[in-house]
Amino acid sequence: MSVQLDDEQKVDEAVERRRFLGLTAAAAALGMTATVAGCGSLGGASGDVTLRLVAAEYDLTGGDSTKKYWTDLVAAFEAQYPSVTVELQVESWDDVDRKVAEMVAAGKAPDIAQIGAYADYAAADKLYAADEILSIPVQANFLAPLVAAGESKRTQYGLPFVASTRPLFYNEDLFAEAGLKAPKTWAELAAAAEKLKDNGVDTPFALPLGPEEAQAETLMWLLSGGGGWTDATDHYAVDSDANVRTFEWLRTNLVAKGLTGPVAPAKLNRKAAFAAFARGEVGMLNGHPSLVKEAAKKGVKVGQVPLPGADGTPKSSMGVADWIMGFKQNGHRKEIGDFLNFVFRDENVLKFAGDNDLLPVTVSASTRMETDPEYANLRAFLKGLPNAQLPPVGKTSWAKVSENVKKNIGKAVSPDAKPAEVLGAIGRAATAAEAAE
């Protein structure tokens, strides 16, 4: 139920939020419930303005939960804004980015797109900036790391839609059989992997550096080693000393000792690694919220701790986000803003994130998730989000750099590899791509 706060209370809450999360403004009071029972009509009665919304499909079971979420939200929005009609198009993640790109190229951009990247559209001046379409309380309510990741040339164009972090997962039964505790440092992780191998575990630590999502797995390790994709000036630093040390450690202490399983990391994709973990064949890996539920279905008890660092818990963990944005082409700035302000009401943010085992992107919704027993399984992920570091998605060069990483980073941990050479080649290509932005 919504709670209306007086001005003094709002100020007090704003101070608290800045203290905890480093935000620069306060969140709005909680909005009205946005979902309604039943599917309703996607278009409703004809209005003065029609908005076209293209959204990604999140239902991993092949169901229609994503479409139902948007259908209910659209019905509730149209009831409050009868002069606006919203036409919904839901596409699979395999197709949605490509289809939106084709629409834009054909001069038929949607009004709103919920997809994986925004930087190219921002660079081409096709998007509304956040402060052109969102109310001040809504814009101020985003978690600080997500705001930074949504900025291109210091202006926010990408609005975070959902997020996630990546803690270390471990098989509690395999750890108990080996008499192990969850590792807190790289040395403890390697020692645990050795003990698991001695106990007959085929893959003590799954290291998926294959082309599916190697850029994400890599960033987790770079951050845990004190590095990252970029330096303090936001320029690529792929072959920094810290990054090279991280990959030298992986090659020497995990891969060369046969602790990463029968499939070479360069050929192991995340999907295969997750499936093996859910079957009980993997001792440890860097996990994703969706894997908890999948493993539980097959009787695997999952322990979760922050990804160990070289000497302890790293200062930051990896976060990822999907984005929603408003396109300028049709000139519906006000109506787009009305709809997006509606999308970011707490009830809507919490419902979508909770239903899909993902994290909310706002301060107020995160606070509610943290205290609600219904979301207890997501708290380990939630803790890492305020200090998370995201990939440099605001750079138009990132797509090209990311593809290069996917193809080549696995070479850096092969037994005869020289990580400095592999990272150096990726780094030089990244710097050249950045210069061409």
Side-chain angles (χ1 to χ4, degrees):
M1 180 176 179
S2 299
V3 179
Q4 297 299 322
L5 305 178
D6 62 29
D7 291 339
E8 183 177 353
Q9 288 174 301
K10 289 181 182 177
V11 171
D12 289 342
E13 288 200 357
V15 172
E16 285 301 308
R17 291 189 186 107
R18 285 196 292 270
R19 183 178 297 126
F20 281 107
L21 299 168
L23 295 176
T24 58
L30 301 179
M32 63 173 282
T33 300
T35 54
V36 294
C39 291
S41 168
L42 295 187
S46 297
D48 298 331
V49 170
T50 297
L51 298 179
R52 187 175 184 188
L53 164 65
V54 179
E57 174 63 72
Y58 284 78
D59 196 318
L60 299 177
T61 66
D64 64 352
S65 63
T66 298
K67 185 176 181 180
K68 186 180 187 307
Y69 168 84
W70 283 115
T71 300
D72 290 351
L73 187 146
V74 164
F77 172 79
E78 289 180 347
Q80 186 169 337
Y81 294 86
S83 65
V84 182
T85 297
V86 180
E87 294 181 349
L88 171 66
Q89 179 178 343
V90 177
E91 297 285 350
S92 74
W93 271 113
D94 292 337
D95 300 322
V96 67
D97 288 292
R98 174 181 56 80
K99 290 196 173 184
V100 169
E102 290 172 350
M103 292 175 193
V104 174
K108 298 179 180 179
D111 295 284
I112 301 165
Q114 188 275 297
I115 51 179
Y118 67 88
D120 286 343
Y121 301 125
D125 194 30
K126 294 184 180 297
L127 301 180
Y128 288 113
D131 60 8
E132 294 179 296
I133 50 179
L134 296 181
S135 69
I136 292 174
V138 168
Q139 191 178 358
N141 199 18
F142 291 128
L143 290 161
L146 305 181
V147 173
E151 292 180 345
S152 179
K153 300 187 185 301
R154 300 188 179 183
T155 298
Q156 185 183 0
Y157 295 96
L159 313 179
F161 180 65
V162 285
S164 67
T165 57
R166 302 286 199 271
L168 177 74
F169 282 9
Y170 62 95
N171 184 310
E172 290 187 346
D173 288 337
L174 294 180
F175 264 58
E177 291 168 8
L180 293 169
K181 295 181 179 180
K184 296 181 180 180
T185 66
W186 283 359
E188 291 178 2
L189 186 150
E194 291 263 21
K195 188 64 182 292
L196 290 168
K197 183 180 180 181
D198 292 343
N199 269 31
V201 178
D202 287 340
T203 305
F205 191 97
L207 185 64
L209 294 176
E212 181 187 350
E213 206 192 24
Q215 84 289 354
E217 182 73 18
T218 299
L219 180 56
M220 293 180 236
W221 283 101
L222 298 185
L223 292 173
S224 71
W229 289 124
T230 57
D231 58 22
T233 65
D234 198 35
H235 290 101
Y236 287 114
V238 178
D239 58 343
S240 68
D241 291 344
N243 292 349
V244 170
R245 286 196 299 270
T246 293
F247 269 80
E248 287 176 342
W249 186 89
L250 286 171
R251 180 201 60 187
T252 302
N253 294 280
L254 292 184
V255 182
K257 293 183 178 180
L259 302 178
T260 54
V263 180
K267 295 182 178 179
L268 181 63
N269 282 323
R270 186 186 71 165
K271 185 176 181 179
F274 281 13
F277 184 88
R279 293 193 300 267
E281 300 168 4
V282 173
M284 297 174 279
L285 50 62
N286 296 331
H288 181 280
S290 63
L291 181 55
V292 177
K293 189 176 293 185
E294 190 61 30
K297 289 178 182 177
K298 298 184 180 180
V300 174
K301 297 178 182 178
V302 181
Q304 303 174 46
V305 292
L307 178 63
D311 300 309
T313 303
K315 293 181 180 179
S316 61
S317 59
M318 189 196 77
V320 295
D322 298 327
W323 307 94
I324 192 166
M325 61 212 71
F327 282 85
K328 291 181 176 181
Q329 180 179 310
N330 301 316
H332 297 148
R333 183 184 67 81
K334 181 184 182 303
E335 292 79 12
I336 290 171
D338 289 339
F339 184 77
L340 291 174
N341 285 325
F342 196 90
V343 166
F344 287 114
R345 290 180 176 180
D346 275 2
E347 285 75 11
N348 297 329
V349 173
L350 273 171
K351 178 169 177 53
F352 193 88
D355 286 353
N356 292 281
D357 292 320
L358 294 167
L359 303 181
V361 296
T362 64
V363 177
S364 52
S366 295
T367 300
R368 289 176 61 174
M369 177 175 278
E370 189 174 6
T371 58
D372 191 330
E374 181 181 353
Y375 306 112
N377 64 316
L378 292 172
R379 286 176 187 162
F381 301 93
L382 198 62
K383 288 179 181 178
L385 192 55
N387 296 315
Q389 183 172 324
L390 279 73
V393 293
K395 294 178 178 290
T396 57
S397 59
W398 174 241
K400 185 175 183 180
V401 173
S402 177
E403 284 303 312
N404 192 12
V405 172
K406 290 179 183 180
K407 292 177 182 177
N408 293 299
I409 196 65
K411 300 174 184 176
V413 295
S414 61
D416 57 349
K418 294 182 178 180
E421 292 182 358
V422 177
L423 291 171
I426 295 172
R428 288 189 294 274
T431 299
E434 184 176 42
E437 283 185 321

